[in-house]
Amino acid sequence: MKKRLIGAIALFWGFSSSIYAQKVEFTEYDLDNGLHVILHKDNSAPVVTVSVMYHVGSKNEVVGRTGFAHFFEHLLFEGSDNIKRGEFMKIVSQAGGQNNANTTQDRTYYYEVLPSNELETGLWLESERMFHPVINDIGVKTQNEVVKEEKRLRVDNQPYGRFAEEVFKRLFTNHPYHWQTIGSMADLDAAKLDEFKAFFKKFYAPNNACLIIAGDFETEKTKKLINAYFSAVPKGTAIMQPQVTEAPISKPIIDSVYDANIQLPAIITAYRVPGMKTRDSYVLNMISTILSEGGSSRLYKKMVDDKKNALQVGAFNYSLEDYGAYITYALPNNNTSLNDLLKDIDEEVKKIQNELVSERDFEKLRNIMENNFVSANKGVEGIANNLADAYTFHKNTNLINTEIDIYRSITREEIRDVAKKYLSPNQRVLLYYLPKSTQ
């Protein structure tokens, strides 16, 4: 039971780590149709990653038609004019590779990891997905059932599976972050085929995407292959990302949620904070590290080790493009009341707000960030994803190398001031996440 909330959090944590590894060499350029290409050459192993990130997520949907971006994560495996239905993944497997895709509120990411002599296969597959996928009633109906089963497995029947939904629909009232990436099954059922086709045409164009090749390849040969497979894809209309602002939260939003899939209650707080492109978001990441990263973190040591009143406790910055949600949570041990857990969490937050982190703890914190920086990029697939994130969200691909400098420049005073600015009890959602009898 103690691992279930963190498992549910992992399902919805739709962002990758924002701390990258040691210096990554790359080249980048644009095709005439607007496709941004990033090449990272690493000949240390005969493996190559081919990936495409589209700047489209659930925030690009509209009320009444939610779930489209996640739906296309599945639908674009159905096949194309040149790939028979159901053959996409078979081709990858037969080539000795693996592939997958994932969707967040802000982007959709597809990738293949292949033996380097199968690079052209990966380029062909991704160009087929972008150029002329088959979008028909058969595929829509099939993937509709797949998405429904995924929702049953990962949300409806998952312990604490609705925590993100319950938090976000209270934390956001105007912004499309109000709904979850998986969307509404009723919306998908009601959508017409022409609506799916229109969504694809608008968002899955080369000028709303970046192509990343990372691993073992010959640069000039790869550029020629990219041009051969992608240059003919027509450019789409320019995409304007949503610009929606939320009024500040000025008083606590307190509510209870009941879940028939759990036996232990949880206490959850969530604060609306700035998005990933802001300096304050980096500071909040450091605050999370102080509070709950590792066994010596403040919340874990106090509540799990010393007082033993919590089975599990944590804090993390759920960082998205436009906003973030700073979340704390705890599961009780020994029948501890949820309010007592909340009091202990708030005490530790107040310490950060009112006292400078000690020089010793600050040095430890910086060492953790440095260690994360060194270890984050352990494979070409991870590097490809991080390059895509840096370009898509920051339009600065070299952030993969320089982001650690932001953390190095953050001061103890900034940590205190950012905690004061955003982590006030008057600015949060407070949820009592409670068991519900199946009777």
Side-chain angles (χ1 to χ4, degrees):
M1 177 64 71
K2 65 185 290 186
K3 296 181 180 179
R4 287 179 178 171
L5 182 55
I6 195 66
I9 288 169
L11 294 176
F12 290 95
W13 200 339
F15 58 95
S16 60
S17 173
S18 59
I19 310 170
Y20 300 117
Q22 293 178 346
K23 186 171 178 62
V24 175
E25 301 290 344
F26 64 90
T27 58
E28 58 185 333
Y29 61 97
D30 291 325
L31 298 185
D32 290 342
N33 59 11
L35 179 65
H36 191 75
V37 179
I38 305 171
L39 304 177
H40 164 67
K41 188 174 181 178
D42 180 354
N43 301 122
S44 61
V47 178
V48 66
T49 292
V50 178
S51 63
V52 177
M53 181 171 285
Y54 295 92
H55 198 174
V56 55
S58 57
K59 77 174 181 186
N60 299 101
E61 300 157 359
V62 296
V63 175
R65 288 296 182 265
T66 63
F68 271 45
H70 174 260
F71 191 79
F72 268 95
E73 175 196 321
H74 293 265
L75 189 62
L76 294 186
F77 283 98
E78 275 288 308
S80 73
D81 290 350
N82 300 305
I83 301 173
K84 293 181 180 179
R85 185 169 177 266
E87 292 293 311
F88 197 103
M89 287 184 278
K90 289 182 182 179
I91 293 171
V92 175
S93 179
Q94 290 168 358
Q98 56 184 331
N99 66 306
N100 213 329
N102 53 72
T103 310
T104 72
Q105 290 90 336
D106 300 310
R107 94 293 183 273
T108 305
Y109 185 65
Y110 300 90
Y111 67 91
E112 292 80 38
V113 182
L114 295 157
S116 53
N117 61 357
E118 293 288 348
L119 168 63
E120 188 170 357
T121 299
L123 292 171
W124 172 60
L125 290 170
E126 289 303 329
S127 68
E128 287 291 306
R129 196 198 308 271
M130 183 184 294
F131 201 174
H132 34 224
V134 172
I135 302 173
N136 58 25
D137 287 322
I138 295 174
V140 167
K141 183 177 180 180
T142 300
Q143 295 307 323
N144 202 348
E145 293 304 314
V146 172
V147 171
K148 286 178 180 178
E149 180 58 28
E150 180 181 348
K151 184 174 184 293
R152 284 190 286 266
L153 178 66
R154 301 182 66 184
V155 180
D156 298 340
N157 297 316
Q158 174 76 22
Y160 309 99
R162 289 173 39 241
F163 99 91
E165 173 188 350
E166 299 294 347
V167 165
F168 275 71
K169 71 183 184 182
R170 292 169 174 83
L171 204 58
F172 298 96
T173 57
N174 297 318
H175 197 283
Y177 289 160
H178 177 80
W179 58 81
Q180 288 300 291
T181 305
I182 202 163
S184 162
M185 300 304 99
D187 288 354
L188 294 176
D189 286 342
K192 306 299 183 184
L193 183 61
D194 286 347
E195 293 178 278
F196 289 111
K197 290 181 177 180
F199 192 83
F200 173 82
K201 183 178 180 180
K202 180 176 181 179
F203 291 108
Y204 296 83
N207 50 301
N208 197 43
C210 61
L211 168 69
I212 306 91
I213 313 298
D216 182 30
F217 59 85
E218 296 177 21
T219 302
E220 292 309 314
K221 179 181 178 181
T222 299
K223 286 183 177 181
K224 290 178 181 179
L225 288 172
I226 291 169
N227 188 66
Y229 282 107
F230 289 92
S231 62
V233 183
K235 185 176 184 177
T237 57
I239 301 298
M240 295 295 294
Q241 294 294 327
Q243 301 293 322
V244 182
T245 57
E246 293 276 358
I249 297 173
S250 58
K251 60 181 180 180
I253 301 168
I254 304 173
D255 210 344
S256 296
V257 175
Y258 297 90
D259 188 340
N261 297 313
I262 66 173
Q263 296 178 332
L264 289 178
I267 189 75
I268 300 170
T269 69
Y271 307 80
R272 193 194 309 136
V273 295
M276 65 174 70
K277 293 181 282 188
T278 65
R279 183 177 177 88
D280 285 351
S281 183
Y282 291 95
V283 180
L284 288 162
N285 290 340
M286 295 184 81
I287 293 171
S288 297
T289 302
I290 296 168
L291 288 175
S292 70
E293 184 169 331
S296 62
S297 61
R298 294 186 180 185
L299 291 178
Y300 189 92
K301 189 173 187 303
K302 176 180 182 177
M303 299 171 67
V304 178
D305 280 354
D306 296 343
K307 298 182 72 172
K308 295 181 172 57
N309 62 353
L311 285 174
Q312 186 176 319
V313 63
F316 64 94
N317 185 27
Y318 192 135
S319 186
L320 297 168
E321 184 174 18
D322 298 343
Y323 287 101
Y326 193 89
I327 296 173
T328 74
Y329 63 93
L331 273 65
N333 189 29
N334 296 325
N335 295 316
T336 303
S337 76
L338 296 182
N339 285 331
D340 285 344
L341 296 178
L342 178 64
K343 180 181 177 182
D344 282 346
I345 293 172
D346 284 347
E347 284 176 354
E348 294 306 314
V349 172
K350 284 181 181 178
K351 287 180 183 178
I352 295 177
Q353 292 173 326
N354 297 320
E355 304 170 13
L356 290 179
V357 177
S358 71
E359 291 281 5
R360 179 179 179 181
D361 286 348
F362 188 57
E363 184 64 28
K364 174 186 171 183
L365 174 63
R366 298 184 74 177
N367 288 340
I368 291 173
M369 308 315 274
E370 295 274 358
N371 183 64
N372 290 342
F373 176 82
V374 170
S375 62
N377 286 328
K378 292 186 176 180
V380 291
E381 193 283 313
I383 290 173
N385 197 156
N386 293 337
L387 286 166
D389 280 346
Y391 173 76
T392 300
F393 298 126
H394 302 271
K395 293 298 181 282
N396 175 18
T397 312
N398 197 47
L399 192 66
I400 195 170
N401 294 312
T402 62
E403 193 166 31
I404 187 60
D405 296 331
I406 299 173
Y407 287 104
R408 288 170 177 156
S409 70
I410 291 170
T411 66
R412 295 187 299 156
E413 288 78 10
E414 280 184 278
I415 291 172
R416 177 197 62 199
D417 295 344
V418 167
K420 279 185 179 180
K421 185 174 182 179
Y422 299 110
L423 305 183
S424 165
N426 290 329
Q427 298 169 265
R428 71 184 179 191
V429 172
L430 172 59
L431 281 186
Y432 294 86
Y433 203 99
L434 307 173
K436 180 180 180 181
S437 171
T438 56
Q439 298 176 352

